Amino acid sequence: MTEDKRVTRLLAPGPAGIVEAGAILRAGGLVAFPTETVYGLGALASDPRAVAGIYRAKGRPSFNPLISHIVDVAAARRQGRFDSRAERLAEAFWPGPLTLVLPLAPTASVCDLARAGLDSVGLRIPANALARSVIAAAGGPVAAPSANLSGHVSPATPAHVLADLDGRIDAVLNGGACPVGVESTIVSLLGDKPRLLRPGGVPRAAIESVLGESLAGAEEGEASQPVAPGLLASHYAPRAVLRLDAEALRDGEAGLDFGGRFAADGAMVLDLSPGGDLSEAAANHFSMRRALDAAGAARVAVAPIPDADLGEAINDRLRRAAAPRP
Ligand code: TXA
Ligand code: MG
């Protein structure tokens, strides 16, 4: 497993720090920044290599969709498709601790990996002005889960962030303590019924009163597993049948290679990372599976991928995709 050792800088919350945070993000780096809820670990949402860095820094063993932080409603409309419910909730609660899960807009720039391969996107405009300045300086949506190691509690101060991530990320923008301390409320507007996927900073009753209807729970119906969204009926379901840990291609198979193992022999082969780099493989994994489906591959041999570092999350996804479907 390759160690990704970085020097983590503490940036001051003035104009110079904001410019620097923006420059790091635009270059594909990782910057923790304050929001009104908790510190987020940000990467440019359009850059799959940068987003792979988030999972790596957090030591997350699986990919789940990340919230993309945007600067204003006009920018949000380029990423997600707004219906009248979304318009009303945005009007009432943005900027603020509400995340809307919306169908992906045709103009969206948030990459596959930040959406965990879904055709939907989680969006929010943070209330913290420093956070919005950083997003503006980055020049596009910033994907950011909480800035802690996987399994640890969410950080509310720069010291909390550094305790977990010092040496693993490029910078922390020092914005003091976060006032809310719990994450944003997540509402899915993908179906006829609005659903509460995660309780958080905006109370359920406030949302229901703006919508004029009650929120369905995440446990009812198809949205029952927001953390395992690859399994949701309304989402992207890859068609190809996967054969994992394949040493070589069999007749009629396409290939999803790693480290240049397969002899293509006329078959369609995409290599997650010819040089065997797990961050590159993570960055490519969702888009290459889509490309194989788009090319009509019915059966796909998948080369062995080391179960270390980001390989664990890639293998988790592949195993779920290879499991028999109902
Ligand atoms: O307060 C917050 O929301 C913090 C700060 C940093 O903004 N962010 C945060 O992000 O908690 P994150 O990435 O940990 O939240 C991810 C959750 C996923 O586990 C999932 O429940 C939901 O957001 N989510 C995001 N996009 C989704 C999508 N397209 N479909 C379903 N759920 C989605
Ligand atoms: Mg978290």
Side-chain angles (χ1 to χ4, degrees), residues 58 146 148 154 183:
K58 285 183 65 97
S146 54
N148 52 275
S154 297
E183 279 106 334

mmCIF file of all heavy atoms in Angstrom, residues 58 146 148 154 183, ligand 2:
data_model
loop_
_atom_site.group_PDB
_atom_site.id
_atom_site.type_symbol
_atom_site.label_atom_id
_atom_site.label_comp_id
_atom_site.label_asym_id
_atom_site.label_seq_id
_atom_site.Cartn_x
_atom_site.Cartn_y
_atom_site.Cartn_z
ATOM 1 N N LYS A 58 -9.675 9.579 4.171
ATOM 2 C CA LYS A 58 -10.576 9.153 5.251
ATOM 3 C C LYS A 58 -10.407 7.680 5.607
ATOM 4 O O LYS A 58 -10.908 7.235 6.631
ATOM 5 C CB LYS A 58 -12.035 9.395 4.860
ATOM 6 C CG LYS A 58 -12.449 10.863 4.917
ATOM 7 C CD LYS A 58 -13.922 11.040 4.595
ATOM 8 C CE LYS A 58 -14.856 10.413 5.600
ATOM 9 N NZ LYS A 58 -15.381 11.336 6.614
ATOM 10 N N SER A 146 -17.698 14.746 5.913
ATOM 11 C CA SER A 146 -17.099 15.297 7.117
ATOM 12 C C SER A 146 -15.606 14.964 7.161
ATOM 13 O O SER A 146 -15.180 13.906 6.692
ATOM 14 C CB SER A 146 -17.810 14.764 8.349
ATOM 15 O OG SER A 146 -17.837 13.354 8.326
ATOM 16 N N ASN A 148 -13.169 13.733 8.872
ATOM 17 C CA ASN A 148 -12.660 12.846 9.918
ATOM 18 C C ASN A 148 -12.293 11.505 9.293
ATOM 19 O O ASN A 148 -12.724 11.203 8.168
ATOM 20 C CB ASN A 148 -13.734 12.622 10.997
ATOM 21 C CG ASN A 148 -15.056 12.175 10.404
ATOM 22 O OD1 ASN A 148 -15.865 13.017 9.995
ATOM 23 N ND2 ASN A 148 -15.267 10.883 10.307
ATOM 24 N N SER A 154 -17.658 13.350 13.615
ATOM 25 C CA SER A 154 -17.466 14.499 12.734
ATOM 26 C C SER A 154 -16.803 15.645 13.479
ATOM 27 O O SER A 154 -17.112 15.900 14.634
ATOM 28 C CB SER A 154 -18.815 14.941 12.182
ATOM 29 O OG SER A 154 -19.366 13.920 11.398
ATOM 30 N N GLU A 183 -24.694 17.136 11.088
ATOM 31 C CA GLU A 183 -24.670 17.302 9.645
ATOM 32 C C GLU A 183 -26.001 17.802 9.091
ATOM 33 O O GLU A 183 -27.011 17.855 9.800
ATOM 34 C CB GLU A 183 -24.299 15.968 8.981
ATOM 35 C CG GLU A 183 -22.796 15.715 8.990
ATOM 36 C CD GLU A 183 -22.369 14.673 9.992
ATOM 37 O OE1 GLU A 183 -23.100 14.496 11.003
ATOM 38 O OE2 GLU A 183 -21.323 14.053 9.758
HETATM 39 MG MG MG B 2 -19.467 11.792 8.173
#
